[in-house]
Amino acid sequence: MKPQLWTHARLVTCATGAADGYGLIDDGALVCDGEQIVWAGPVRELPPQWSTVAEVHDAQGALITPGWVDCHTHLVYGGQRAHEFELRLNGASYEEVARAGGGIVSTVNATREASPEALYQQAQRRLKALMAEGVTTVEIKSGYGLSLEHERKCLLVARRLGQQHAVHVRTTFLGAHALPPEYAGCPDDYIQAVIDMMGPLKDGGWVDAVDVFCERIGFSLAQTERVFQAAQRLGLPVKLHAEQLSDSHGAALAAQYGALSCDHLEWLSEDGVRAMAGAGTVAVLLPGAFYFLRETRLPPIAWLREHRVPMAVSTDCNPGSSPCTSMLLMLNMACTLMRLTPQEAILGATRHAAQALGLHDRGQLVAGQRADFVLWDVAHPAELCYAIGANPRQHTIWGGQPQKEITP
């Protein structure tokens, strides 16, 4: 196949060290050869050979960004939890709902009862909605099966989604998400069961990383460390649901194990920020959950900036605290609720989100990166964070290939 040349675009390169944060290039050109970007820069500097050997596409002034990387989702699950949403609006807290048998465990029951095909069809709808707004890479966590049989089922569905759609799927094993009913009162025994699941799941090729919900309604610091130690023995990178409802000191522990990311972080301490900075751990901000749970304590954005911790932004698509499939809405909420700048939000959905998944071959429009990018009918990148309920996506290019129309 001939190289592909895109001309007359405004490129948002998200390049490391860009003075304006965006890496904006007016009247830019982008050359793809196969699945890789081989050149990006101003049209006036385009090497002459590309104009003669490449298939040319006139972007007609469209803005081009890297494809969004949604680095924290729980797309594969059964059922829904609108009733719990109603309970919270009538005064019950998220923690009270969970302790009364709702929350994660209610989704576990629905997920265990669902067939792989039913789970696939439900998750496919969510995935298509994300793709329709420019997502080209997505992380999908397990954690609603809580047994080897059902965790494997969910991870198989996640892998199938990546095989049958023009999107790259990374899978994360979140067996330590909640205590299943059959282990009531025996959390340490369940943690051992989680550890026992890891080897077969890794051997089957179903897992790219391991996550834990470290919280007073989840698992303790000591139990989290047991999971991290087991992941380390298997050569699997770790991530952490950290400091969402309280300061459990999970971020500092995760940093000790070189965690790819710590996510949520509303109660993150400055000591935790320092530990993450030292380990190169990404802070994943989840404004959908912050909004949906009506939280009032913001993650410590000023400390994260001060210590230069990369900040990613993600949907946290899940049935209980962020039933959201809109990255564009997350960009807006990251700015309006968490006070990120548009530059920070867009880097958070591209370069920093890719870093949160341990992926260094995407998230920037520079030579050597994957040719995953999106054309938008806007003049300036801030517009992607500004409008609420709008979707100005024109085209998605995945692996260098224009994709057919994507409908949710």
Side-chain angles (χ1 to χ4, degrees):
M1 180 173 288
K2 294 176 66 174
Q4 305 291 301
L5 167 62
W6 298 83
T7 64
H8 305 302
R10 298 198 79 200
L11 302 181
V12 184
T13 65
C14 298
T16 303
D20 65 351
Y22 296 121
L24 192 62
I25 298 175
D26 286 314
D27 196 21
L30 192 64
V31 183
C32 309
D33 194 359
E35 295 187 348
Q36 195 171 72
I37 296 170
V38 293
W39 191 88
V43 168
R44 66 180 181 275
E45 298 177 10
L46 179 69
Q49 71 267 24
W50 294 121
S51 298
T52 57
V53 303
E55 181 178 347
V56 180
H57 307 267
D58 187 346
Q60 299 181 334
L63 193 81
I64 298 183
T65 69
W68 303 140
V69 178
D70 196 355
C71 63
H72 181 133
T73 84
H74 307 251
L75 281 187
V76 178
Y77 62 83
Q80 48 81 21
R81 280 156 53 188
H83 176 58
E84 293 175 21
F85 174 64
E86 185 178 38
L87 287 176
R88 287 201 301 276
L89 290 174
N90 279 284
S93 71
Y94 180 80
E95 190 166 347
E96 287 168 343
V97 169
R99 292 194 184 280
I104 294 168
V105 173
S106 66
T107 299
V108 170
N109 293 332
T111 302
R112 286 180 171 184
E113 291 172 3
S115 69
E117 184 60 27
L119 290 173
Y120 176 82
Q121 293 300 329
Q122 293 172 41
Q124 179 179 233
R125 288 194 292 272
R126 300 173 195 125
L127 179 63
K128 285 183 175 180
L130 291 173
M131 293 172 65
E133 289 196 2
V135 170
T136 54
T137 298
V138 61
E139 184 236 33
I140 301 177
K141 301 179 190 292
S142 67
Y144 292 124
L146 307 188
S147 71
L148 179 58
E149 173 192 358
H150 295 291
E151 289 289 289
R152 183 190 286 120
K153 175 175 72 174
C154 293
L155 291 165
L156 280 166
V157 169
R159 286 288 197 230
R160 181 183 167 196
L161 289 166
Q163 291 162 357
Q164 298 190 0
H165 296 279
V167 64
H168 186 74
V169 171
R170 298 289 284 182
T171 55
T172 296
F173 173 53
L174 182 56
H177 196 195
L179 195 62
E182 61 269 25
Y183 282 89
C186 303
D188 286 327
D189 291 344
Y190 179 62
I191 287 297
Q192 185 57 52
V194 168
I195 291 168
D196 292 341
M197 293 180 210
M198 276 191 218
L201 293 175
K202 187 201 174 187
D203 291 344
W206 315 129
V207 180
D208 297 314
V210 172
D211 198 350
V212 179
F213 183 31
C214 182
E215 191 52 77
R216 60 195 176 206
I217 61 170
F219 295 95
S220 71
L221 210 60
Q223 291 161 346
T224 298
E225 185 162 25
R226 288 176 60 196
V227 175
F228 283 177
Q229 288 170 342
Q232 190 176 63
R233 288 193 295 270
L234 290 169
L236 290 168
V238 299
K239 305 165 69 70
L240 190 67
H241 281 61
E243 336 300 24
Q244 181 183 10
L245 305 174
S246 64
D247 183 6
S248 301
H249 308 291
L253 175 68
Q256 289 178 29
Y257 285 84
L260 292 173
S261 72
C262 291
D263 306 32
H264 288 290
L265 302 175
E266 283 84 349
W267 289 82
L268 179 64
S269 69
E270 190 168 12
D271 285 344
V273 173
R274 289 193 187 98
M276 291 173 63
T281 298
V282 177
V284 178
L285 307 178
L286 304 171
F290 179 87
Y291 163 80
F292 196 78
L293 297 178
R294 297 188 293 173
E295 297 288 355
T296 57
R297 184 184 178 107
L298 286 166
I301 303 300
W303 285 343
L304 292 167
R305 285 179 180 139
E306 179 184 346
H307 294 282
R308 298 187 178 183
V309 175
M311 292 181 286
V313 176
S314 185
T315 63
D316 190 18
C317 178
N318 77 81
S321 63
S322 188
C324 176
T325 53
S326 173
M327 276 295 288
L328 292 171
L329 180 58
M330 293 303 96
L331 293 178
N332 177 272
M333 286 186 174
C335 295
T336 57
L337 298 180
M338 295 184 169
R339 312 297 192 268
L340 266 61
T341 66
Q343 294 96 326
E344 289 172 329
I346 286 174
L347 287 178
T350 54
R351 192 175 86 218
H352 293 161
Q355 185 180 341
L357 297 180
L359 299 173
H360 302 285
D361 65 343
R362 67 201 67 195
Q364 303 179 68
L365 300 181
V366 298
Q369 294 271 291
R370 268 189 63 87
D372 297 344
F373 54 91
V374 183
L375 280 70
W376 306 94
D377 184 19
V378 297
H380 191 274
E383 293 181 55
L384 298 172
C385 304
Y386 157 75
I388 302 172
N391 181 7
R393 185 186 67 87
Q394 293 180 322
H395 304 288
T396 295
I397 313 302
W398 188 74
Q401 296 301 308
Q403 299 304 305
K404 294 178 181 178
E405 188 57 34
I406 302 166
T407 55

